[in-house]
Amino acid sequence: MATVETPPNAVAGISLWNRIDDALAAISDRLNPILIREARQALKSRQFTLWFVLLLVACWITTIGGVALVGPSIYYISAGGILLRAYYAVLLLPLTVIIPFSAYRSLAAEQEENTRDLLEVSTLSHWQIVNGKLGSAAMQMAMYLAALAPCIAFTYLLRGVDLVTIVLLLVYAVLACLGLSAVGLLLAASQRQKRGQNFLSVLFAGALFFTYSSLFGVAMGVMSLDPTDRGAEWFFWVHAGAASVYFTSVAVIYVAAAGLCTFASANRSTPLRVAIVAQQAVAVAWIAGLLAIDERVDRGTMYVAFATVAVYWFGVGAVLTGEPAQLSQRVRRKLPDSLLGRSLLSWFYPGPGSGYVFAVANLTLLLGLYAYAVIERSSGGGLPTNAALLAGVLTYVYVVGFLGAGRLLISVLRRFATLTLLGAFLVQFLLVLACSAIPPLVLALGGRARLANSTLVQVFSPAQSLSTLVDGDFTGSQLTLICTVALALAGCSLLINLSLAGREAGARRLAKPQRVLEDEAMNATPVRQEPRNPWGDLPDTAGLPE
């Protein structure tokens, strides 16, 4: 019986495909299992199929209708900009609404199906969970972009739009999709109760549609710019500043979402605080550079910037002061042990007291930089130097006072009810809202109140007091009364909270239990001992198993 020999080329081709198949199998084994599961569920779901088909139908209708509307003059006029606007409106809907809301629902469904706790205690890290969810959103985004890429290329062939504009619009859409998806994961991870999830679903959906319309308006504004404006220096610096804000904010949101996807006894706070400090450093660098190169920045603009940063730190402090007061044993095992470490690093560890001191310390640093900038720019216009300094100090006093009062109120409420991070944040927000709304209402109802009494009532409303101070409507006696009362109340709040924070800072590191040490030794990978000098001498630990 004759044997059939396989040609050498066929053998080489088979071996090549076998190597490729083995490489793909190895890559698939290394992929995030959350990403694989989410990809399979998303591609097989009716929702994705429906929206993808609708996107293709909308592109087909836009192409046929646009070409028919322009008619034979398409050979002579520049119709690319018209069709690009229509295609961009179609593309933005799935990228800024459908995909982010799907990312939100993918994590919220884990809670509804009682699989979130299993996911958090699995061998997957909290970073892998968030990366898998974001990777699924990025994969869906890539499929929508691939479906619409030929249509966008078609608009360039029709003239009237350049490649720079097309690239900018696509970058806007991609970054918006990833950022909103991260926000959706953060919202889904922050709430475990069904009622809260329903409220956040409605709120997030409305925010997504608002972002869709806003981003479309920004894109149309960029398209209407003259090509020379897109090459101007101001255009570059505006995009560089916006990119800094975007990437630092997404980093903070990403770290916060990952922290909420781990178990409650883990250290969720330290990575978030480090990311916030990094974001503040970037913001300070940008503001300092702007003040150095632009002499037109007046003291009024400086105060608006400082007030914005103060509101930001109030929001950060409202979240951090809502953390549980008791540190878990897992966290206490990693506390700094030295005196210097406890003095400088304790404020980066979880706890409402440390969170309050962390926010106040950063805001104090910013107040010092603001005062230095106002004094250095004393010859500029806008607010007088004394008014700008006093407004900054009073803003600082209000943030410190309200954060401290809210932190004390949260500690009292937790004795009678359970407050989540979102609930603690709402307590801080409602406290400021009540103090801002009640004094004007009292003054409106009591029209015959004396001037001193009205000023005393007004001191509890930060918005009214600061706006009146900036407008220069206070007399000397009114200003003295407001500053005295505000400083006294904020000082009492600060002292009480510092005493409570001192107890948290006094917590000492716990030694690891024997069972933990045994588990770590069992899971540790032996390190191969290498010679420590050219003569081949091994370290003193030689003899360990390789």
Side-chain angles (χ1 to χ4, degrees), residues 163-492:
L163 286 177
V164 176
T165 302
I166 294 177
V167 171
L168 279 177
L169 296 186
L170 291 179
V171 169
Y172 294 162
V174 169
L175 294 181
C177 180
L178 295 178
L180 292 173
S181 299
V183 173
L185 293 178
L186 175 62
L187 293 178
S190 64
Q191 186 57 247
R192 292 179 177 267
Q193 298 179 357
K194 188 174 181 179
R195 294 181 180 178
Q197 291 285 4
N198 294 335
F199 172 75
L200 289 178
S201 298
V202 176
L203 185 65
F204 187 51
L208 291 178
F209 280 105
F210 176 77
T211 304
Y212 168 78
S213 59
S214 301
L215 184 57
F216 184 76
V218 170
M220 296 305 101
V222 171
M223 289 186 63
S224 62
L225 288 176
D226 190 82
T228 57
D229 292 333
R230 290 196 294 271
E233 184 178 359
W234 67 267
F235 190 79
F236 168 78
W237 287 113
V238 166
H239 279 75
S244 300
V245 174
Y246 171 84
F247 286 109
T248 55
S249 300
V250 170
V252 171
I253 294 171
Y254 170 79
V255 172
L260 291 175
C261 287
T262 186
F263 40 89
S265 62
N267 186 356
R268 301 175 172 180
S269 188
T270 299
L272 177 61
R273 300 188 188 192
V274 172
I276 291 173
V277 171
Q279 183 184 36
Q280 175 178 278
V282 173
V284 169
W286 272 103
I287 294 174
L290 180 62
L291 292 175
I293 64 177
D294 195 350
E295 295 292 335
R296 295 172 297 178
V297 180
D298 57 11
R299 289 183 293 272
T301 306
M302 293 181 191
Y303 173 69
V304 171
F306 177 74
T308 303
V309 175
V311 172
Y312 170 80
W313 273 109
F314 176 80
V316 171
V319 174
L320 297 182
T321 54
E323 294 177 343
Q326 298 296 330
L327 296 180
S328 65
Q329 293 186 359
R330 183 184 294 270
V331 174
R332 294 188 64 181
R333 292 173 197 152
K334 297 181 180 180
L335 289 176
D337 197 20
S338 63
L339 178 61
L340 182 61
R342 290 199 304 271
S343 302
L344 299 179
L345 302 179
S346 294
W347 318 118
F348 284 88
Y349 283 82
S354 64
Y356 176 78
V357 176
F358 178 79
V360 170
N362 282 276
L363 189 58
T364 304
L365 174 63
L366 293 176
L367 178 64
L369 296 176
Y370 167 75
Y372 174 78
V374 168
I375 295 173
E376 285 293 319
R377 194 61 63 89
S378 58
S379 60
L383 287 173
T385 303
N386 294 334
L389 291 174
L390 187 58
V393 172
L394 194 59
T395 303
Y396 169 83
V397 167
Y398 274 121
V399 173
V400 171
F402 275 105
L403 270 182
R407 183 251 187 275
L408 297 176
L409 181 59
I410 290 171
S411 63
V412 172
L413 292 177
R414 278 183 169 164
R415 296 182 179 180
F416 305 97
T418 302
L419 279 180
T420 62
L421 280 177
L422 182 59
F425 177 82
L426 291 177
V427 169
Q428 294 272 15
F429 176 75
L430 292 176
L431 178 63
V432 175
L433 185 63
C435 292
S436 299
I438 293 178
L441 181 62
V442 172
L443 295 177
L445 295 178
R448 296 184 179 181
R450 293 183 302 169
L451 185 61
N453 293 335
S454 63
T455 305
L456 187 60
V457 173
Q458 187 178 352
V459 72
F460 294 96
S461 175
Q464 188 175 5
S465 299
L466 291 173
S467 62
T468 308
L469 173 61
V470 171
D471 294 337
D473 296 336
F474 277 138
T475 62
S477 59
Q478 290 177 311
L479 195 58
T480 302
L481 179 61
I482 283 184
C483 292
T484 303
V485 176
L487 282 172
L489 295 177
C492 294

